[in-house]
């Protein structure tokens, strides 16, 4: 699915979805449907990029016709060093999942956290069990409003305490989760797993909503355990509509989508 004419002109706003297996994801197709539905002369192209070629590809965007890019989760840390400017969320978390080209500068931001928080609010979530302390956890916490109550879980309590101190979280509710323990998370409105735990067998009950933003090809301990317990699981591909709407709004806010397909430009 491309733009209305299934073609690219010199006026078409081009965006990339950069990942090792970007072509296997439905994100680009979903984005192009949104561009078409809104009559925008824009297109997202999946870009299958190996790790060895990642730096070269993104750095060359500065002088290309690509106006921005979505970064797949395997590269969200790698891209930070290539950015010319970044938001506070990028600086605090050490990750970037969306960037925009401004002349020959690449400016990075974090989008997934905004999309996820909006999704949680729409589903009436108040109590969150957050597992893990990686860059995704940092980005989520940096944008999470105080109206949402977060309890923090990790297998290493000392590392978890360092995490809450680094993120300036006062009176944090910290909890240990590790092999050999029994853990009931059913009292929370949502479980969000951003940990590197290989299994979640210690969890014997999940929440109504269980999220980790993993893509289909990625190993998901949450997905596996949720399936075993008959619990609802939400990954990256289950939120394509929400993510695509967020991407559209992001680029629209940057005045990238001012022109409609029908507009005459010379």
């Amino acid at each position: 699915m491309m733009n209305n004419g299934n073609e690219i002109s010199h006026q078409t706003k081009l965006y990339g979805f950069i990942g090792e297996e970007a072509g296997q994801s439905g994100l680009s197709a979903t984005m192009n449907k949104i561009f078409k539905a809104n009559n925008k002369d824009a297109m997202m192209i999946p870009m299958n990029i190996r790790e060895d070629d990642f730096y070269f590809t993104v750095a060359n965007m500065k002088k290309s016709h690509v106006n921005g890019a979505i970064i797949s989760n395997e590269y969200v840390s790698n891209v930070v060093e290539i950015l010319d400017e970044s938001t506070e969320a990028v600086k605090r978390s050490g990750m970037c999942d969306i960037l925009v080209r401004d002349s020959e500068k690449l400016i990075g931001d974090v989008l997934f956290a905004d999309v996820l928080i909006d999704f949680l609010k729409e589903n009436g979530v108040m109590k969150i069990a957050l597992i893990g302390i990686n860059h995704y956890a940092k980005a989520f916490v940096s944008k999470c409003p105080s109206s949402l109550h977060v309890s923090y879980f990790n297998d290493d309590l000392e590392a978890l305490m360092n995490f809450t101190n680094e993120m300036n979280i006062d009176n944090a509710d910290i909890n240990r989760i590790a092999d050999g323990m029994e853990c009931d998370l059913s009292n929370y409105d949502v479980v969000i797993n951003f940990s590197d735990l290989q299994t979640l067998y210690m969890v014997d009950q999940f929440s109504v909503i269980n999220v980790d933003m993993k893509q289909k090809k990625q190993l998901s301990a949450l997905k596996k355990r949720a399936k075993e317990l008959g619990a609802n699981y939400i990954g990256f591909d289950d939120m394509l509509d929400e993510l695509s709407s967020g991407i559209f709004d992001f680029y629209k806010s940057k005045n990238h989508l001012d022109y409609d397909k029908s507009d005459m430009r010379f």
Side-chain angles (χ1 to χ4, degrees), residues 68-181:
I70 305 302
I71 309 299
S72 185
N73 48 18
E74 66 269 23
Y75 292 142
V76 293
S77 296
N78 305 52
V79 73
V80 174
E81 64 177 302
I82 313 174
L83 300 174
D84 298 291
E85 296 178 16
S86 59
T87 62
E88 189 63 26
V90 172
K91 294 172 183 176
R92 292 191 71 190
S93 65
M95 68 164 283
C96 162
D97 62 1
I98 190 167
L99 58 85
V100 60
R101 179 177 62 80
D102 182 2
S103 185
E104 293 188 6
K105 294 193 300 183
L106 299 180
I107 304 171
D109 204 343
V110 178
L111 180 71
F112 93 91
D114 295 321
V115 173
L116 181 54
I117 289 167
D118 287 343
F119 173 80
L120 297 180
K121 288 180 177 179
E122 289 171 4
N123 283 273
V125 166
M126 296 297 295
K127 294 177 61 179
I128 301 170
L130 178 62
I131 308 173
I133 58 174
N134 69 1
H135 43 271
Y136 272 89
K138 290 179 180 178
F140 179 80
V141 170
S142 71
K143 294 199 171 191
C144 189
S146 58
S147 58
L148 300 180
H149 177 75
V150 183
S151 295
Y152 300 89
F153 292 79
N154 197 49
D155 54 339
D156 185 335
L157 279 183
E158 183 177 354
L160 180 55
M161 292 178 67
N162 290 337
F163 168 85
T164 56
N165 288 334
E166 179 185 350
M167 301 305 296
N168 298 317
I169 303 167
D170 296 326
N171 303 313
D173 177 13
I174 63 173
N175 306 270
R176 186 166 182 263
I177 183 171
D179 290 337
M181 300 178 63

Side-chain angles (χ1 to χ4, degrees), residues 2-266:
M2 296 186 181
N3 51 22
N4 278 339
N6 285 337
E7 61 187 13
I8 300 175
S9 72
H10 70 281
Q11 297 173 337
T12 304
K13 287 285 187 180
L14 295 178
Y15 302 95
F17 175 42
I18 301 176
E20 287 186 302
E21 297 183 345
Q24 301 296 315
S25 170
L27 179 63
S28 296
T30 305
M31 276 305 312
N32 290 330
K33 289 178 182 177
I34 290 180
F35 289 143
K36 185 173 183 178
N38 286 275
N39 198 34
K40 298 301 181 183
D41 188 5
M43 185 183 303
M44 179 167 284
I45 302 171
M47 302 170 66
N48 292 342
I49 305 297
R50 299 177 305 176
E51 185 173 1
D52 291 345
D53 298 325
F54 178 76
Y55 185 95
F56 176 81
T57 300
V58 177
N60 279 344
M61 280 181 56
K62 298 179 182 183
K63 296 184 178 182
S64 75
H65 294 294
V66 178
N67 296 278
I70 305 302
I71 309 299
S72 185
N73 48 18
E74 66 269 23
Y75 292 142
V76 293
S77 296
N78 305 52
V79 73
V80 174
E81 64 177 302
I82 313 174
L83 300 174
D84 298 291
E85 296 178 16
S86 59
T87 62
E88 189 63 26
V90 172
K91 294 172 183 176
R92 292 191 71 190
S93 65
M95 68 164 283
C96 162
D97 62 1
I98 190 167
L99 58 85
V100 60
R101 179 177 62 80
D102 182 2
S103 185
E104 293 188 6
K105 294 193 300 183
L106 299 180
I107 304 171
D109 204 343
V110 178
L111 180 71
F112 93 91
D114 295 321
V115 173
L116 181 54
I117 289 167
D118 287 343
F119 173 80
L120 297 180
K121 288 180 177 179
E122 289 171 4
N123 283 273
V125 166
M126 296 297 295
K127 294 177 61 179
I128 301 170
L130 178 62
I131 308 173
I133 58 174
N134 69 1
H135 43 271
Y136 272 89
K138 290 179 180 178
F140 179 80
V141 170
S142 71
K143 294 199 171 191
C144 189
S146 58
S147 58
L148 300 180
H149 177 75
V150 183
S151 295
Y152 300 89
F153 292 79
N154 197 49
D155 54 339
D156 185 335
L157 279 183
E158 183 177 354
L160 180 55
M161 292 178 67
N162 290 337
F163 168 85
T164 56
N165 288 334
E166 179 185 350
M167 301 305 296
N168 298 317
I169 303 167
D170 296 326
N171 303 313
D173 177 13
I174 63 173
N175 306 270
R176 186 166 182 263
I177 183 171
D179 290 337
M181 300 178 63
E182 293 184 1
C183 188
D184 182 352
L185 300 176
S186 60
N187 287 329
Y188 294 94
D189 299 322
V190 64
V191 174
I192 302 175
N193 182 36
F194 291 142
S195 75
D196 297 322
L197 293 170
Q198 296 300 300
T199 68
L200 287 171
Y201 287 130
M202 71 289 293
V203 180
D204 50 28
Q205 289 193 66
F206 276 119
S207 175
V208 176
I209 304 173
N210 306 285
V211 184
D212 67 4
M213 303 299 289
K214 292 285 184 71
Q215 297 183 44
K216 287 181 180 178
K217 294 282 187 177
Q218 292 181 293
L219 174 66
S220 170
L222 180 66
K223 181 178 181 179
K224 182 178 180 181
R225 186 57 174 157
K227 184 177 180 180
E228 292 170 348
L229 296 176
N232 180 46
Y233 165 78
I234 297 174
F236 179 89
D237 297 275
D238 300 306
M239 292 192 67
L240 287 182
D241 289 341
E242 291 85 354
L243 287 164
S244 297
S245 293
I247 294 166
F248 182 88
D249 290 342
F250 177 87
Y251 285 121
K252 187 176 181 181
S253 73
K254 305 299 180 185
N255 299 319
H256 271 219
L257 303 173
D258 289 346
Y259 297 104
D260 290 344
K261 177 71 174 171
S262 58
D263 289 339
M264 298 296 292
R265 286 177 281 154
F266 300 94

